[in-house]
């Protein structure tokens, strides 16, 4: 007789209760998929997880935020708009969005992630927000998704100018290199661990020189950003000390 697999149950196993907080209806199958983390999928024997929806949602989020910033700040150059967008759609601010609606309680996580605080990890929360955006887009189309996204990130857009000056460390280190007549920053990223619990270590150097900064995170993008911050901490500690 085969033994029935017992999978972890999230604190709130009724995804429909998330929808009023999210601000839109989502196809039930897509909603379930968006809330399924790869660690849960792995323990369930390799069922589908939310990373494809995350890919789609990331693109939708980026265009919606870029469009709003473009129209809200007609006098700002591309460089400022790029920093403001990055400071709105990156891992840490999206995790803030997730915490505001209690998203962590609804995510299906594997036992390991659940026991090590996965429900409050910035990486898991932000990825799930993007997956939900992807699911909303497939369920309702762009205009309805635009409304949802803009409602969710309104508080971030209100702070976009200030946040854009402090959080896009990849742009900051590139500008520092240009100012100091250094080669362009070069990033080297290595992944390690199983697919359901992968970590990425990024190093940044100027040209072919030695590494100036290093950081490890659960996504390549975040690892590169934090490696840039680490480099600036050594190169210009006073500059970093004035920023969160």
């Amino acid at each position: 007789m085969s033994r029935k697999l017992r999978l972890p149950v999230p604190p709130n196993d009724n995804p429909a209760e998330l929808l009023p907080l999210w601000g839109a209806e989502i196809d039930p199958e897509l909603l379930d998929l968006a809330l399924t983390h790869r660690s849960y999928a792995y323990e369930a024997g390799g069922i589908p997880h939310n990373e494809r929806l995350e890919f789609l949602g990331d693109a939708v989020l980026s265009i919606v935020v870029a469009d709003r910033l473009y129209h809200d700040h007609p006098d700002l150059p591309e460089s400022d708009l790029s920093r403001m967008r990055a400071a709105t759609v990156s891992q840490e601010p999206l995790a803030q969005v997730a915490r505001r609606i209690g998203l962590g309680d609804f995510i299906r996580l594997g036992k390991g992630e659940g026991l090590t605080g996965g429900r409050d990890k910035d990486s898991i929360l932000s990825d799930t927000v993007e997956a939900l955006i992807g699911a909303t887009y497939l369920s309702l189309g762009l205009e309805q998704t635009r409304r949802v996204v803009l409602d969710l990130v309104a508080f971030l857009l209100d702070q976009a100018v200030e946040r854009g000056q402090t959080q896009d460390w990849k742009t900051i280190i590139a500008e520092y290199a240009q100012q100091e007549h250094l080669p362009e920053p070069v990033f080297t990223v290595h992944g390690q661990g199983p697919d359901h619990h992968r970590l990425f270590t990024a190093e940044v150097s100027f040209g072919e020189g030695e590494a100036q900064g290093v950081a490890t995170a659960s996504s390549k993008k975040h690892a590169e950003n934090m490696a840039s911050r680490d480099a600036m901490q050594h190169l210009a500690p006073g500059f970093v000390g004035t920023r969160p």
Side-chain angles (χ1 to χ4, degrees):
M1 182 175 178
S2 61
R3 185 177 179 182
K4 187 176 180 180
L5 182 64
R6 296 183 62 184
L7 297 171
V9 177
N12 191 327
D13 198 30
N14 184 5
E17 292 186 7
L18 174 65
L19 296 178
L21 303 169
W22 180 250
E25 293 294 320
I26 299 176
D27 175 87
E29 290 187 6
L30 289 172
L31 177 59
D32 285 344
L33 182 60
L35 295 173
T36 301
H37 186 256
R38 64 189 179 195
S39 62
Y40 183 95
Y42 174 79
E43 292 184 10
I47 65 173
H49 52 74
N50 64 10
E51 289 185 357
R52 281 173 52 85
L53 284 176
E54 175 196 337
F55 162 80
L56 179 61
D58 176 67
V60 174
L61 172 65
S62 184
I63 187 62
V64 168
V65 170
D67 178 74
R68 174 49 62 93
L69 292 172
Y70 179 88
H71 287 97
D72 283 356
H73 303 278
D75 299 325
L76 291 182
E78 180 273 340
S79 57
D80 287 351
L81 293 175
S82 292
R83 282 194 292 269
M84 291 161 65
R85 179 179 60 183
T88 303
V89 306
S90 59
Q91 189 175 96
E92 182 270 335
L94 289 185
Q96 291 184 42
V97 170
R99 292 186 181 100
R100 282 181 162 224
I101 61 174
L103 178 56
D105 286 347
F106 294 89
I107 302 173
R108 295 190 178 101
L109 294 175
K111 293 178 182 177
E113 285 289 1
L115 291 172
T116 56
R119 298 190 185 283
D120 197 46
K121 283 185 182 178
D122 282 2
S123 58
I124 291 177
L125 291 173
S126 61
D127 289 349
T128 308
V129 168
E130 291 177 339
L132 285 168
I133 292 171
T136 306
Y137 172 76
L138 292 177
S139 299
L140 303 174
L142 180 59
E143 291 312 310
Q144 286 270 45
T145 307
R146 185 193 306 275
R147 175 189 60 78
V148 172
V149 168
L150 292 178
D151 284 347
L152 289 169
V153 303
F155 73 103
L156 298 171
L157 290 171
D158 289 343
Q159 307 163 4
V161 174
E162 295 80 6
R163 297 177 70 89
Q165 296 171 349
T166 62
Q167 293 195 3
D168 186 4
W169 291 100
K170 286 186 69 175
T171 299
I172 290 170
I173 198 172
E175 293 176 347
Y176 175 86
Q178 184 176 29
Q179 176 184 322
E180 299 296 322
H181 307 291
L182 296 169
E184 289 187 7
V186 174
F187 293 90
T188 303
V189 183
H190 301 287
Q192 59 185 0
D195 288 343
H196 63 282
H197 190 65
R198 199 155 182 79
L199 293 176
F200 297 91
T201 298
E203 295 182 352
V204 59
S205 60
F206 295 109
E208 298 182 357
E210 64 181 26
Q212 298 294 323
V214 61
T216 298
S218 59
S219 74
K220 293 179 181 179
K221 181 167 61 176
H222 193 52
E224 288 178 348
N225 199 48
M226 290 299 96
S228 300
R229 188 187 192 282
D230 183 56
M232 291 301 296
Q233 179 72 64
H234 296 100
L235 296 165
F239 177 86
V240 176
T242 64
R243 287 156 172 78

